[in-house]
Amino acid sequence: ISNSEGDLLFLLDSSGSVSYYEFSRVKEFMWDLLQPFTFGPKDVQASIIHISTMPTMEFPFDRYLSSGTLQQAIRDTQQLMGDTNTGKALSYAKEKFFSDEAGARPDVPKVLVWVTDGFSTDDISEPMQVLKDMGVTVFIVSTGRGNYLELSAAASQPPEKHLHFVDVDDLPIITKELRDAILDVIQANRLHAVDITSSSFRLIWPELLSQETDYYTLEYAPGGDLARKRTTQVSGAHTSLTLSNLAPETTYEVALIPESNIHYFPPQTTRVTTLAEEISPTQVLISESGPHSFHVSWAPMLDSVIGYQVLYGPLPGNSAKLLEVDGKHNSTVVENLAPNTTYLVTVTAVYKSGKEKSLSAKACTQE
């Protein structure tokens, strides 16, 4: 997941009320949640603050800017034990969320994920409200029997989207739902792409312009060839646009420039990679036909194919046999056939994405 910019802070219950087993499962959950993101100064940054007697920052936002180093840092995180002073940790989190020293960035979405066994030894309501008033989106994952009313008031609204009660062994059940909700937050105020195919994608951006005379200029070009930049303009009423006729497996640099006579809006940029081309075999050729066999070949061959399936059976009839062919080959010999018989041959390309595309041809064996 790229084109997502945000500071993501985990508030991790590291107190003595959490067992070593629970702590290790929560660390796995944190990594699973983060694993698909791209990290860096223009992408997602992550940090951990321990809830204990005194709050402690495990690492600042800007220390680990690759998946590998961040995964290792989470794996190396040690439980501190002590009291569950969540209120103190929240006040400390507020300082770090907006601090250059902690690697936090101004003007990017802020997300807090508080993983708790449901208990706190000090008041959380006031420091949590301060964080939310400063624009932080708060997600709470309770692995214990915490007070629902207290936690639903602490989470961002609505609680059904921001509060999860789940047994520590069932954390993987909520991973995708929580990740998608975090994505909604960090992509809501910036240009991003959806519905990406091999030749198109749809751009979505926040509503910025209001005047009838305002408009957006959109520039896009393949990353390695900015001389091929294309430009289009849309009215200020638009918040989305589909770009088509694009090259497959190509990364495009995209810039959205709001043009207004009244306010200055900085350009928004994103980077989008189209999918591999997934087309049917456009030719199925039958050759070297004999009484009991024939040769089948097809084109084109594509790197995005992992294999081909050759299905063949006599016409008329409803019996068929299957041959599997490695994606590096584009032909096979079909044998043990009946003489003087018409066969229907269907070649199916199986793509790495899981999609399948087919093309059929008829073949006749000799007498």
Side-chain angles (χ1 to χ4, degrees):
I1 303 171
S2 57
N3 310 320
S4 303
E5 192 173 13
D7 288 341
L8 182 55
L9 177 62
F10 285 94
L11 202 61
L12 179 60
D13 192 340
S14 193
S15 67
S17 67
V18 177
S19 71
Y20 174 79
Y21 174 76
E22 289 172 323
F23 192 78
S24 64
R25 291 308 302 265
V26 169
K27 288 200 298 181
E28 287 175 30
F29 166 68
M30 286 163 52
W31 169 243
D32 287 345
L33 192 67
L34 288 172
Q35 190 265 330
F37 285 102
T38 305
F39 302 96
K42 293 289 186 185
D43 291 286
V44 169
Q45 294 187 163
S47 175
I48 295 175
I49 288 177
H50 293 269
I51 300 169
S52 183
T53 306
M54 293 300 293
T56 304
M57 177 175 274
E58 178 71 21
F59 50 81
F61 289 104
D62 57 354
R63 178 167 297 168
Y64 300 110
L65 301 179
S66 72
S67 291
T69 56
L70 183 61
Q71 180 183 22
Q72 190 60 48
I74 292 173
R75 193 179 285 140
D76 292 343
T77 298
Q78 299 295 311
Q79 190 172 357
L80 300 184
M81 310 304 282
D83 296 329
T84 317
N85 289 333
T86 309
K88 276 187 182 175
L90 287 166
S91 298
Y92 182 72
K94 185 202 78 173
E95 295 170 24
K96 300 303 177 188
F97 241 141
F98 299 95
S99 141
D100 291 345
E101 166 212 357
R105 296 164 293 178
D107 306 322
V108 304
K110 312 285 186 189
V111 175
L112 176 73
V113 179
W114 173 28
V115 187
T116 172
D117 62 0
F119 302 98
S120 178
T121 48
D122 60 353
D123 176 61
I124 66 164
S125 56
E126 189 179 332
M128 189 67 92
Q129 191 57 52
V130 169
L131 273 171
K132 290 191 289 186
D133 289 345
M134 295 177 79
V136 177
T137 303
V138 177
F139 293 93
I140 301 176
V141 178
S142 177
T143 60
R145 294 174 300 282
N147 181 318
Y148 175 79
L149 290 177
E150 182 183 72
L151 291 179
S152 61
S156 290
Q157 299 302 304
E160 57 267 22
K161 189 173 180 181
H162 297 88
L163 173 61
H164 296 271
F165 281 85
V166 62
D167 187 83
V168 73
D169 285 320
D170 294 330
L171 282 167
I173 292 171
I174 67 163
T175 302
K176 184 179 186 308
E177 185 182 345
L178 179 56
R179 186 192 298 129
D180 288 346
I182 291 170
L183 259 176
D184 286 345
V185 174
I186 61 181
Q187 288 189 333
N189 293 313
R190 62 172 291 164
L191 176 70
H192 62 282
V194 296
D195 303 335
I196 301 170
T197 72
S198 60
S199 62
S200 68
F201 50 78
R202 186 160 64 95
L203 294 164
I204 297 178
W205 59 87
E207 190 176 332
L208 300 172
L209 302 176
S210 56
Q211 302 296 314
E212 286 185 17
T213 54
D214 294 347
Y215 61 94
Y216 296 100
T217 298
L218 195 83
E219 300 176 345
Y220 59 102
D225 190 3
L226 296 178
R228 286 169 54 201
K229 181 172 74 176
R230 292 183 236 172
T231 302
T232 187
Q233 290 184 343
V234 293
S235 81
H238 284 70
T239 55
S240 72
L241 180 69
T242 298
L243 300 182
S244 52
N245 300 318
L246 306 175
E249 288 188 281
T250 302
T251 299
Y252 285 85
E253 303 284 347
V254 184
L256 179 78
I257 305 158
E259 311 276 9
S260 170
N261 293 324
I262 299 170
H263 300 288
Y264 169 73
F265 296 96
Q268 294 202 6
T269 60
T270 190
R271 187 181 296 119
V272 188
T273 302
T274 51
L275 302 182
E277 192 169 17
E278 293 175 354
I279 59 174
S280 307
T282 52
Q283 285 180 299
V284 173
L285 302 174
I286 310 296
S287 59
E288 300 172 28
S289 179
H292 302 288
S293 68
F294 50 73
H295 187 266
V296 184
S297 57
W298 53 87
M301 286 182 66
L302 299 168
D303 290 340
S304 51
V305 174
I306 55 172
Y308 297 94
Q309 297 176 342
V310 180
L311 195 70
Y312 60 98
L315 289 174
N318 54 10
S319 65
K321 293 182 179 178
L322 178 67
L323 275 176
E324 303 231 2
V325 181
D326 185 274
K328 297 184 181 67
H329 299 99
N330 71 331
S331 67
T332 188
V333 176
V334 180
E335 298 178 305
N336 302 317
L337 304 176
N340 196 26
T341 303
T342 301
Y343 284 84
L344 180 67
V345 181
T346 301
V347 178
T348 301
V350 182
Y351 292 86
K352 291 172 184 172
S353 65
K355 291 183 181 176
E356 299 178 1
K357 301 282 179 82
S358 303
L359 188 69
S360 298
K362 287 180 183 177
C364 297
T365 51
Q366 294 180 4
E367 292 185 13

